[in-house]
Amino acid sequence: MLMLQRVSKARVAGPVGALLRWSSTVRLTAESYPQVKRLDFGQITPQTVDFFKSVVGESAVVTDQDDLLFYNEDQMRKYRGQSSLCVKPKTTQQVSEIVKYCHEHKLALVPQGGNTGLVGGSVPVFDEIVLSLSGMNKIRSFDHTSGILKADAGLILENADNFLAENGYIFPLDLGAKGSCHIGGNVAANAGGLRLLRYGSLHGSVLGLEVVLPDGTIYDSMNALRKDNTGYDLKQLFIGSEGTLGVITGVSILCPARPKAVNIAFLGLESYEAVQNTFKRARSELCEVLSAFEFMDRQSQWQAKRFLKTSHPLAQDDPDVDVPEYPFYVLIETSGSCKEHDDAKLETFLESIMEDGTVADGVVSQDESQLKTLWTWREGISEASNMDGGVYKYDVSLPLPVMYDLIEVLRARLDEHGLRSISDASKPVVDVVGYGHIGDGNVHVNVIVREYNKTVEKCLEPYVYQWISDHHGSISAEHGLGFQKKNYIGYSKSEVEIALMKDIKSKFDPQGIMNPYKYL
Amino acid sequence: MLMLQRVSKARVAGPVGALLRWSSTVRLTAESYPQVKRLDFGQITPQTVDFFKSVVGESAVVTDQDDLLFYNEDQMRKYRGQSSLCVKPKTTQQVSEIVKYCHEHKLALVPQGGNTGLVGGSVPVFDEIVLSLSGMNKIRSFDHTSGILKADAGLILENADNFLAENGYIFPLDLGAKGSCHIGGNVAANAGGLRLLRYGSLHGSVLGLEVVLPDGTIYDSMNALRKDNTGYDLKQLFIGSEGTLGVITGVSILCPARPKAVNIAFLGLESYEAVQNTFKRARSELCEVLSAFEFMDRQSQWQAKRFLKTSHPLAQDDPDVDVPEYPFYVLIETSGSCKEHDDAKLETFLESIMEDGTVADGVVSQDESQLKTLWTWREGISEASNMDGGVYKYDVSLPLPVMYDLIEVLRARLDEHGLRSISDASKPVVDVVGYGHIGDGNVHVNVIVREYNKTVEKCLEPYVYQWISDHHGSISAEHGLGFQKKNYIGYSKSEVEIALMKDIKSKFDPQGIMNPYKYL
């Protein structure tokens, strides 16, 4: 009952499908990782709670244990903290007063957006205070000529995009978690998502930030200028800093004109080489209208089919027996200002790649509803991967030629250790599925498990990180480091880089109160 | 003779038109700004020269005073340093050894690319050693699938773009100085240029950098990953740091597919309001094919006509008497993958804005040669502004509605002080012209003078910076701070921001040897 109540209260905007499968209590992070010890921070006292209430009002301070569960537990249900205090300020000034108090009393803090992170970065490990931005959700201004949006950090991504849609603009980022995640959290995590191929990274589109620094100082660079070469571009440090350098309270972002026409092609391919060739040609031939190029392997489509329980787009004859038949699938999206032109470009492109045999089969969306359906076969994989009990997720950047090798290597390794079987429920691993933003050099590797299991984890890690490092990849393309990958940064960054990062962290936050036990 | 020799040797790739007008010797910066004092750095000794020769070879060390002139004097001919030593390493390892030596002997350094900067940032002030990257000009690798180019910092921008053109790609940056400037210098200056509207800023497209830090350590993040969320994105600090945090030696950058079709429309408009409306509609209606939106005022076209000595595109009947007749002009460029589609989009757009009277007159390029000619009326303004003796350049970001007010305010102010006349040669100022990247919120204000003049300078500064600050703009949109604007950063950045920047500078470069007397 507790779980359901909590879910309906707090997760209402989240992916509902996953909720009903939540039944067990998540293990405390401190128990799962006993080697991690609480650092010498101050303790929350009744005076702390009183002070917070005096700043933000009684109703914006959460101390009830049931109510705190949402803020303590991560979306993946892998991590659970033990915070006894969550505060939900409504203004930047309030955030500043809260942080200043924490600074003076050496109290550790976890800034939290929509709590949709995938690496345990947005929940406490021990008794850190949760500073939720959910009370700061206003649009501050929108310039109709330049397309510059200024908003509170706690604005939900989908709400931002809906507002922009009404004004003929689009948010330059889209994510599966858009119904829950906050734009401030997106910036803190440097989220990549589905529109990066077209609109680039947040390092390019974020124009300014408002951040409360670890001593309570308000850093305000909320300008609305596309260009400003006066000094080091400090806001860049906060993009992707996962709450370790301060609390992002405001975002100024450049939004592109919203395309008027969107098309989707969903293709089946016989080899990974064909996937790469198709990408290269799409980039050249679809050029300015190409807005997404996603790939999915057969196993991911098989898993998605178990979850979605409908016919696969490329095998629609018999919903009961169809199985995805191609080893690889690709979803290509075009977005442009003239449907007729986009249709013509896509048609010419598809004719050419099907004629020469690069692509074996394909369908094209005919309307908005088909377009959404086709996207579910890509977007649904994440939830589908979680339906058997748990999932070890690796979010990897790799040079394209070796990208898919990683999935095959992991399957072979799990088989060697006798850990994988789709049908044998005594094996901990169901399967390894691969999919992702090939246009960004980013593959998601989901190891679907029947339960979280130390043997599986040890078989995978640090092996997977070493493999990625050996192949010049990144161990975290877009999910970040958080708690999960804190100790593995050395597989992606050199000692020189890590030393500089630590210098910056200690300069900004000498007491280490901002989101401790994570990142570095 | 000296000047001509130097010009023909070193400026061969630069804008030739300007060279012949160079005749006087530029005043030493130390004499023009006697309040700036040499800091307590070490002195170059014969041992320094010997050591440098042992590292880079005899021919890569410049000590001849005539030969040094190119490295000491800036392109604007406003600043001249007194360096007696320039070194041109060929490898990152050599740069590291040179910098390490300077670090150990507390010798000040100026990293120099193509020396095309506009704020005196790339030349010495006193006797700083010039570290020229001109010897490091190789392409390291190019990935044909992802479009990722890795190259030495000293690669000339035009050479990079020509190489990419052969491979169907485009460098995401274009500049008037492309024939001389280096891609490393572009990154160090965070150059904006003509393609920013379409391809975004270098903060988005630079994927990795190799930098020699002020103690000689090699910082290597030359990865080829589009996404990498493992720690603070430190490379961002170097983008726009103007050589104050280290020497950029390598650049990894994401290059878009090269558009196959390019169109230009050159339009005459009756008001600045019409310019804004045209921009807003171009952004929405030309959407994904819009690649440049530049505006020029009448005065800039009048000046360009004096310089180019040909008919203006919108007054072609009589080359002897035509004068630009509209108060404002706009150049719109489209780039796409299908000429037929782009033509149709541009035609529909132009019909609509001419029909309703937003635009008064216009021409469209019919071929490559016309396209280039039309661009000269925008690109030629910079050189044209320098033809009367000198130019005070302000490179400003401002909110669009007030952008053009600045030019009118400056004209009025110079008139009040009796300083401006087009015809009266006894007045120091010829005129103030305004033009720029309106799509980026960036206007260039050129105060054309018959000679550099302290009365004019005092009439303009800090007045112009205060006006920009009062209107929430940036005093340097893309040119940077350099020597010229070092003392004015406070008009664009808060004390909190400046303090953080100084912390970072002193962390990276505690001795302050990298490009001193500038930036902060």
Side-chain angles (χ1 to χ4, degrees):
Chain A
M1 271 314 288
L2 172 65
M3 293 303 294
L4 282 175
Q5 187 197 353
R6 169 193 154 227
V7 160
S8 59
K9 265 171 65 179
R11 291 276 186 192
V12 67
V16 177
L19 301 181
L20 303 177
R21 285 184 297 278
W22 289 11
S23 56
S24 67
T25 301
V26 176
R27 217 170 154 203
L28 289 175
T29 308
E31 286 173 6
S32 302
Y33 299 89
Q35 70 279 21
V36 180
K37 304 293 180 200
R38 187 183 184 280
L39 295 172
D40 179 31
F41 296 115
Q43 301 279 358
I44 294 162
T45 62
Q47 288 74 38
T48 311
V49 178
D50 289 346
F51 176 77
F52 282 17
K53 284 181 178 169
S54 77
V55 173
V56 299
E58 190 123 357
S59 64
V61 174
V62 183
T63 52
D64 178 86
Q65 279 305 309
D66 288 351
D67 292 340
L68 282 166
L69 203 50
F70 171 77
Y71 305 98
N72 269 319
E73 196 173 300
D74 85 309
Q75 177 181 267
M76 298 299 299
R77 311 201 68 232
K78 259 180 93 173
Y79 304 103
R80 184 154 65 95
Q82 304 164 60
S83 183
S84 61
L85 180 57
C86 167
V87 57
K88 302 196 273 187
K90 286 190 183 59
T91 66
T92 305
Q93 193 54 45
Q94 287 178 359
V95 174
S96 169
E97 286 176 48
I98 296 289
V99 174
K100 189 159 181 281
Y101 182 94
C102 291
H103 172 71
E104 284 162 1
H105 295 79
K106 207 183 172 190
L107 290 166
L109 271 169
V110 178
Q112 189 178 85
N115 196 9
T116 61
L118 297 169
V119 287
S122 57
V123 288
V125 175
F126 296 100
D127 59 345
E128 302 93 276
I129 294 163
V130 176
L131 196 160
S132 166
L133 275 298
S134 56
M136 289 184 68
N137 51 20
K138 303 276 186 304
I139 287 166
R140 297 188 188 177
S141 69
F142 180 66
D143 183 314
H144 289 255
T145 305
S146 63
I148 295 169
L149 174 76
K150 292 185 186 181
D152 288 348
L155 180 64
I156 287 175
L157 176 58
E158 191 163 57
N159 295 347
D161 196 51
N162 287 342
F163 168 83
L164 290 164
E166 286 165 20
N167 290 281
Y169 286 85
I170 189 169
F171 202 88
L173 171 77
D174 189 22
L175 285 182
K178 61 181 162 242
S180 320
C181 65
H182 295 181
I183 63 166
N186 297 149
V187 172
N190 188 29
L194 304 167
R195 291 176 187 159
L196 187 130
L197 180 67
R198 176 68 165 269
Y199 300 120
S201 90
L202 292 173
H203 286 289
S205 50
V206 170
L207 300 180
L209 291 176
E210 182 187 77
V211 182
V212 174
L213 301 178
D215 66 355
T217 303
I218 299 170
Y219 163 91
D220 178 5
S221 79
M222 279 291 279
N223 67 51
L225 303 172
R226 184 146 185 196
K227 287 162 144 184
D228 176 21
N229 275 350
T230 54
Y232 308 126
D233 195 353
L234 295 176
K235 69 168 185 289
Q236 301 288 353
L237 287 178
F238 300 107
I239 301 174
S241 63
E242 302 183 30
T244 60
L245 297 181
V247 184
I248 295 174
T249 52
V251 175
S252 169
I253 189 163
L254 182 71
C255 302
R258 199 170 195 94
K260 294 173 190 76
V262 179
N263 286 324
I264 301 277
F266 196 99
L267 312 173
L269 299 93
E270 296 288 7
S271 71
Y272 180 66
E273 202 189 339
V275 173
Q276 292 180 75
N277 287 338
T278 306
F279 171 58
K280 195 177 166 187
R281 287 175 55 184
R283 200 160 183 245
S284 162
E285 293 169 37
L286 297 172
C287 195
E288 73 275 9
V289 296
L290 182 64
S291 55
F293 192 104
E294 301 285 315
F295 98 108
M296 298 80 72
D297 66 6
R298 188 204 320 256
Q299 291 79 351
S300 76
Q301 296 301 282
W302 179 83
Q303 187 72 14
K305 189 171 158 46
R306 285 179 62 210
F307 177 68
L308 296 169
K309 297 191 173 64
T310 57
S311 293
H312 191 264
L314 294 189
Q316 293 178 341
D317 293 339
D318 181 347
D320 295 326
V321 299
D322 70 318
V323 285
E325 64 178 314
Y326 295 102
F328 294 98
Y329 294 86
V330 155
L331 183 154
I332 295 175
E333 187 190 76
T334 66
S335 311
S337 57
C338 173
K339 174 135 181 68
E340 189 192 329
H341 292 168
D342 293 5
D343 288 354
K345 284 188 179 92
L346 187 57
E347 202 178 304
T348 307
F349 169 70
L350 291 177
E351 266 170 22
S352 122
I353 51 164
M354 297 199 76
E355 217 160 72
D356 68 13
T358 309
V359 165
D361 195 6
V363 291
V364 175
S365 62
Q366 301 297 321
D367 57 39
E368 178 81 14
S369 135
Q370 288 184 0
L371 191 147
K372 282 190 176 154
T373 303
L374 289 176
W375 262 116
T376 59
W377 290 90
R378 162 62 185 83
E379 286 193 293
I381 301 170
S382 180
E383 271 186 79
S385 299
N386 218 353
M387 68 187 279
D388 288 288
V391 55
Y392 290 95
K393 288 175 93 92
Y394 301 99
D395 158 48
V396 177
S397 278
L398 277 168
L400 285 190
V402 300
M403 187 187 265
Y404 198 71
D405 293 350
L406 174 60
I407 288 131
E408 290 173 339
V409 160
L410 289 183
R411 282 194 193 117
R413 184 172 167 87
L414 289 164
D415 288 348
E416 266 170 41
H417 289 75
L419 295 169
R420 176 176 80 129
S421 172
I422 291 174
S423 50
D424 179 355
S426 74
K427 304 281 189 187
V429 177
V430 179
D431 206 350
V432 183
V433 309
Y435 63 104
H437 321 287
I438 207 164
D440 313 335
N442 178 195
V443 63
H444 295 298
V445 183
N446 287 359
V447 180
I448 301 167
V449 291
R450 296 187 167 89
E451 61 178 4
Y452 289 116
N453 175 308
K454 282 280 169 193
T455 310
V456 173
E457 194 169 325
K458 281 183 185 154
C459 178
L460 294 168
E461 298 176 20
Y463 176 85
V464 62
Y465 300 125
Q466 187 61 53
W467 196 95
I468 295 161
S469 177
D470 292 346
H471 293 81
H472 310 291
S474 167
I475 63 158
S476 187
E478 58 179 6
H479 294 173
L481 294 167
F483 182 83
Q484 186 191 340
K485 296 180 186 170
K486 171 188 159 62
N487 295 325
Y488 301 117
I489 182 173
Y491 288 99
S492 280
K493 291 286 153 74
S494 69
E495 281 178 27
V496 171
E497 293 174 288
I498 295 169
L500 283 171
M501 288 181 200
K502 288 190 169 167
D503 280 347
I504 283 173
K505 168 70 178 176
S506 69
K507 179 72 226 165
F508 276 78
D509 183 17
Q511 298 189 110
I513 61 170
M514 297 301 296
N515 217 4
Y517 317 109
K518 295 161 192 160
Y519 203 72
L520 275 174
Chain B
M1 272 315 288
L2 173 64
M3 292 302 295
L4 282 175
Q5 188 196 352
R6 168 193 156 227
V7 160
S8 60
K9 266 171 64 178
R11 293 276 187 192
V12 67
V16 177
L19 300 181
L20 302 178
R21 286 182 296 281
W22 289 9
S23 55
S24 69
T25 301
V26 177
R27 216 170 155 205
L28 288 175
T29 310
E31 286 172 6
S32 303
Y33 301 88
Q35 70 279 20
V36 179
K37 305 292 181 200
R38 186 183 185 281
L39 295 173
D40 179 31
F41 296 115
Q43 302 277 358
I44 295 162
T45 62
Q47 289 73 39
T48 311
V49 178
D50 288 345
F51 176 76
F52 283 17
K53 285 180 178 170
S54 78
V55 173
V56 299
E58 189 124 356
S59 64
V61 174
V62 184
T63 52
D64 177 86
Q65 279 306 310
D66 289 350
D67 293 340
L68 282 166
L69 203 52
F70 171 78
Y71 305 98
N72 269 318
E73 195 174 301
D74 85 309
Q75 177 181 269
M76 300 298 299
R77 310 199 69 231
K78 261 179 93 174
Y79 305 103
R80 183 155 65 95
Q82 304 164 61
S83 184
S84 62
L85 180 55
C86 167
V87 57
K88 302 196 272 186
K90 286 189 184 60
T91 66
T92 304
Q93 193 53 44
Q94 288 178 359
V95 175
S96 168
E97 286 176 49
I98 296 290
V99 174
K100 189 159 180 280
Y101 181 94
C102 292
H103 171 71
E104 283 163 2
H105 295 80
K106 206 183 172 188
L107 290 166
L109 271 171
V110 178
Q112 189 178 87
N115 195 9
T116 61
L118 297 169
V119 287
S122 57
V123 287
V125 175
F126 297 99
D127 60 345
E128 301 92 276
I129 295 163
V130 177
L131 196 161
S132 166
L133 276 298
S134 56
M136 289 184 68
N137 50 21
K138 303 276 186 306
I139 286 165
R140 298 188 188 176
S141 69
F142 180 66
D143 182 315
H144 289 255
T145 305
S146 64
I148 295 168
L149 174 75
K150 293 185 186 181
D152 288 349
L155 180 65
I156 287 175
L157 176 57
E158 193 162 56
N159 295 348
D161 196 50
N162 287 343
F163 169 83
L164 289 165
E166 286 164 22
N167 290 280
Y169 286 84
I170 189 169
F171 202 88
L173 171 77
D174 190 22
L175 285 182
K178 61 182 161 241
S180 320
C181 65
H182 295 182
I183 62 167
N186 297 150
V187 172
N190 188 28
L194 304 167
R195 291 176 185 158
L196 187 130
L197 180 68
R198 175 69 164 270
Y199 301 120
S201 90
L202 292 174
H203 287 289
S205 50
V206 171
L207 299 180
L209 291 175
E210 182 187 77
V211 183
V212 174
L213 301 178
D215 66 356
T217 303
I218 299 170
Y219 163 91
D220 179 4
S221 80
M222 279 290 279
N223 67 51
L225 303 172
R226 184 147 184 195
K227 288 162 143 182
D228 176 20
N229 276 349
T230 54
Y232 308 126
D233 195 354
L234 295 175
K235 72 169 182 290
Q236 301 287 353
L237 287 177
F238 301 106
I239 302 175
S241 64
E242 301 183 30
T244 61
L245 297 181
V247 184
I248 295 174
T249 51
V251 175
S252 169
I253 190 163
L254 183 70
C255 302
R258 199 169 195 95
K260 294 172 190 77
V262 179
N263 285 324
I264 301 276
F266 196 98
L267 312 173
L269 299 93
E270 296 287 6
S271 70
Y272 180 66
E273 201 188 340
V275 173
Q276 292 178 75
N277 287 340
T278 307
F279 171 57
K280 194 177 166 187
R281 288 176 53 185
R283 202 161 182 243
S284 161
E285 293 169 38
L286 296 172
C287 193
E288 73 276 9
V289 297
L290 182 64
S291 55
F293 192 104
E294 301 286 315
F295 98 109
M296 298 79 72
D297 67 6
R298 188 205 319 254
Q299 291 80 350
S300 75
Q301 296 301 283
W302 179 84
Q303 188 72 15
K305 190 172 156 46
R306 286 180 63 212
F307 177 69
L308 296 170
K309 297 190 174 64
T310 58
S311 295
H312 191 265
L314 294 188
Q316 295 179 341
D317 293 340
D318 181 348
D320 294 326
V321 299
D322 70 319
V323 286
E325 63 177 313
Y326 295 100
F328 295 97
Y329 295 86
V330 156
L331 183 154
I332 295 175
E333 186 191 77
T334 66
S335 311
S337 56
C338 172
K339 174 136 182 69
E340 188 192 329
H341 292 168
D342 292 6
D343 287 353
K345 283 187 179 95
L346 186 59
E347 201 178 305
T348 308
F349 169 70
L350 292 175
E351 266 170 21
S352 124
I353 52 165
M354 297 199 75
E355 215 161 72
D356 68 13
T358 309
V359 165
D361 195 5
V363 292
V364 175
S365 61
Q366 301 298 322
D367 56 39
E368 178 80 14
S369 135
Q370 288 185 1
L371 190 146
K372 282 191 175 153
T373 304
L374 290 176
W375 261 117
T376 60
W377 289 91
R378 162 62 185 85
E379 286 194 292
I381 301 170
S382 181
E383 271 187 80
S385 300
N386 218 353
M387 69 187 279
D388 288 289
V391 56
Y392 291 95
K393 289 176 93 91
Y394 302 98
D395 157 46
V396 178
S397 277
L398 278 168
L400 284 190
V402 300
M403 187 187 265
Y404 198 71
D405 294 350
L406 174 61
I407 288 131
E408 290 173 338
V409 160
L410 288 184
R411 283 193 194 118
R413 184 172 168 87
L414 289 163
D415 289 348
E416 267 169 40
H417 289 75
L419 295 169
R420 176 177 78 129
S421 172
I422 291 175
S423 51
D424 180 353
S426 73
K427 305 282 191 188
V429 177
V430 180
D431 206 351
V432 183
V433 309
Y435 62 105
H437 322 286
I438 208 164
D440 313 334
N442 178 194
V443 63
H444 295 297
V445 183
N446 286 359
V447 179
I448 301 166
V449 292
R450 297 186 167 89
E451 59 178 4
Y452 290 116
N453 175 309
K454 280 282 169 193
T455 311
V456 174
E457 194 170 323
K458 280 185 184 150
C459 178
L460 294 168
E461 299 176 19
Y463 176 86
V464 62
Y465 299 125
Q466 186 62 53
W467 196 95
I468 295 161
S469 177
D470 292 345
H471 292 80
H472 310 291
S474 167
I475 63 159
S476 186
E478 57 180 5
H479 294 173
L481 293 166
F483 182 82
Q484 187 191 341
K485 297 180 186 170
K486 169 189 160 64
N487 295 324
Y488 301 116
I489 182 173
Y491 288 99
S492 279
K493 290 287 152 73
S494 69
E495 282 176 27
V496 171
E497 292 172 290
I498 296 169
L500 283 172
M501 287 180 202
K502 288 190 170 168
D503 280 347
I504 283 173
K505 168 70 177 174
S506 68
K507 178 72 226 165
F508 275 77
D509 182 17
Q511 298 189 111
I513 60 170
M514 296 301 296
N515 217 4
Y517 316 110
K518 296 161 192 161
Y519 202 73
L520 275 174

